[in-house]
Amino acid sequence: MAKESLKTVAAMEGCYQGFNPAAYLQYNYTAPRADFDRSDSIVPWKLSCLHRALTEDDIRGDVLVDVGSGPTLYQVMSGCERFNRVILSDFLEVNRRELQSWLQKGKSSLDWTTYFKYVCELEGRSSSAWTKKAERLRAVVSDVLPIDVHQSCPLSQGTLPPCGADCLVSSFCLESVSPDLTSFNIALSNISSLLRKGGYLLLIGALGESFYMGGPGLCIPVVPLDEAQVCVSLRASGYELLQLSIYHLPTDMKVGVDDVTGVFFAKAKKY
Ligand code: SAM
C-alpha cells in the first residue's frame, strides 16, 4: 500500500478511538430507524433482506463470519440458524466487550428482544420463540475476534478452516473505515480472502454518506458510495452479483446522526 494511503488509514484508526457503542446503538438501532410497526423503517428492511437472501437459495454451511460487527447482533440473527459456527469480529475492544457482555451475561446497551421476535416472525415462528433464537445465537457464536480489514489477512491466521468461511456478512463496515474508494476496494479484496470459493457474501452498506456520528461530537468520515460503484467493486473483487436491493431513506429517518441517503443490500457469490 502507498505511504500516503497508509497515513490516511492510520487517521481513520484514530477517528475510532472515541467510538461510543451505547450512543451508536441509540442513534441507529432505536425508533424511527428500528420501528417494527413501520414497513418503511431501515432495520426491518435489513432484517428482511438477510432472511430472504439466506432462505431463497437455502444457504447453509459450517462457518459464517461477520466482519466489523460493531456492538450489534441483528446481522447474524438469521444466519445463526443456518451455520454451525458464527464468528463475530471488530477492530475495537470496546465493541468486542459489548458483544461478549451479551453473549456471556445477557447484558447489552440495547435490548435486542424486539429484533429477535421480528426475525422469528420472518421465519414463520411465533414471536415467543425468541428466547430459543437468543439461546441458539449464544450457542453458535464461537469467537468474538479482533479484525482489521486493511490487512491482507484481516483475522489472525489459523482462525478459519484452510479453504475459508462458507459465508461472510458485513454491514456498514468497509465504507465507514476506509479513507477513500481505493482503500475500500482493497478492504473488500482483503475480506474476500476469508471466504471459500463458491461462498456467499452478504454486504450491507450506506449510499451517498460522507460522515456518521460514532458518539457525541465524534464525526467519522465515510466513503460516499453509489449503486453503480458497489456493482463495479464487487465484480472487481471476484464476485458474481446475485442481488442488489436499495432502500431510500424517508425524510423522517434522517435524524441528524449521518447524511446517508440510502442503504444497499448485496448478495454475491465468490467465483
Ligand atoms: N456492523 C455494525 C452495524 O451494522 O451497525 C457496525 C458498523 S460501524 C459503522 C463500523 C464498525 O467498523 C465499527 O464497529 C468499528 O469499530 C469497525 N472498524 C473500525 N475500523 C476497522 C477496521 N480497520 N477493520 C474492521 N473493522 C473496523
Side-chain angles (χ1 to χ4, degrees):
M1 198 185 292
K3 206 171 166 195
E4 197 51 35
S5 210
L6 267 177
K7 255 202 262 167
T8 48
V9 163
M12 288 303 297
E13 195 177 318
C15 285
Y16 274 91
Q17 293 318 305
F19 189 85
N20 180 328
Y24 176 76
L25 288 169
Q26 180 66 32
Y27 299 157
N28 294 289
Y29 294 101
T30 60
R33 292 187 168 189
D35 184 341
F36 294 96
D37 294 326
R38 275 180 66 169
S39 58
D40 65 346
S41 181
I42 306 180
V43 168
W45 181 83
K46 287 190 283 183
L47 292 173
S48 302
C49 285
L50 286 161
H51 167 74
R52 240 192 348 265
L54 290 168
T55 48
E56 65 194 4
D57 293 325
D58 197 21
I59 297 175
R60 298 177 181 278
D62 192 28
V63 180
L64 178 150
V65 177
D66 177 36
V67 174
S69 307
T72 67
L73 296 166
Y74 72 92
Q75 65 278 16
V76 289
M77 286 183 184
S78 287
C80 73
E81 306 286 349
R82 306 185 145 261
F83 292 85
N84 301 326
R85 198 178 147 205
V86 171
I87 296 174
L88 303 177
S89 68
D90 201 77
F91 184 72
L92 294 179
E93 198 190 340
V94 72
N95 283 331
R96 299 195 300 271
R97 268 210 308 270
E98 173 77 32
L99 296 170
Q100 291 286 14
S101 164
W102 182 85
L103 289 165
Q104 289 164 6
K105 296 177 271 178
K107 288 194 186 149
S108 170
S109 303
L110 190 81
D111 182 355
W112 294 101
T113 308
T114 48
Y115 284 69
F116 281 113
K117 286 184 175 173
Y118 187 79
V119 180
C120 283
E121 282 168 10
L122 289 174
E123 290 169 353
R125 299 155 79 182
S126 144
S127 62
S128 62
W130 79 268
T131 51
K132 290 218 159 40
K133 179 175 274 301
E135 269 168 38
R136 168 78 191 171
L137 182 56
R138 282 201 179 89
V140 296
V141 173
S142 62
D143 305 275
V144 181
L145 298 176
I147 190 163
D148 183 354
V149 299
H150 299 305
Q151 302 298 319
S152 52
C153 298
L155 286 174
S156 45
Q157 290 210 332
T159 309
L160 295 178
C163 59
D166 301 292
C167 185
L168 295 185
V169 172
S170 188
S171 50
F172 303 99
C173 177
L174 303 183
E175 70 280 16
S176 319
V177 307
S178 301
D180 51 35
L181 186 58
T182 305
S183 172
F184 169 90
N185 285 329
I186 295 170
L188 181 59
S189 292
N190 290 342
I191 68 163
S192 300
S193 69
L194 303 173
L195 186 63
R196 70 166 169 81
K197 269 190 196 156
Y200 290 90
L201 168 67
L202 306 180
L203 188 67
I204 302 179
L207 292 171
E209 188 176 54
S210 71
F211 79 94
Y212 79 100
M213 302 305 290
L218 180 66
C219 186
I220 299 179
V222 178
V223 181
L225 297 173
D226 63 33
E227 198 176 325
Q229 188 57 58
V230 173
C231 299
V232 169
S233 295
L234 284 168
R235 292 198 176 108
S237 281
Y239 289 97
E240 178 191 358
L241 183 56
L242 303 175
Q243 180 203 335
L244 185 71
S245 304
I246 305 294
Y247 169 92
H248 298 281
L249 238 76
T251 314
D252 70 332
M253 298 281 159
K254 296 179 181 169
V255 291
V257 296
D258 52 44
D259 61 351
V260 67
T261 59
V263 177
F264 69 87
F265 176 88
K267 173 175 169 179
K269 193 168 184 177
K270 185 169 165 180
Y271 284 121

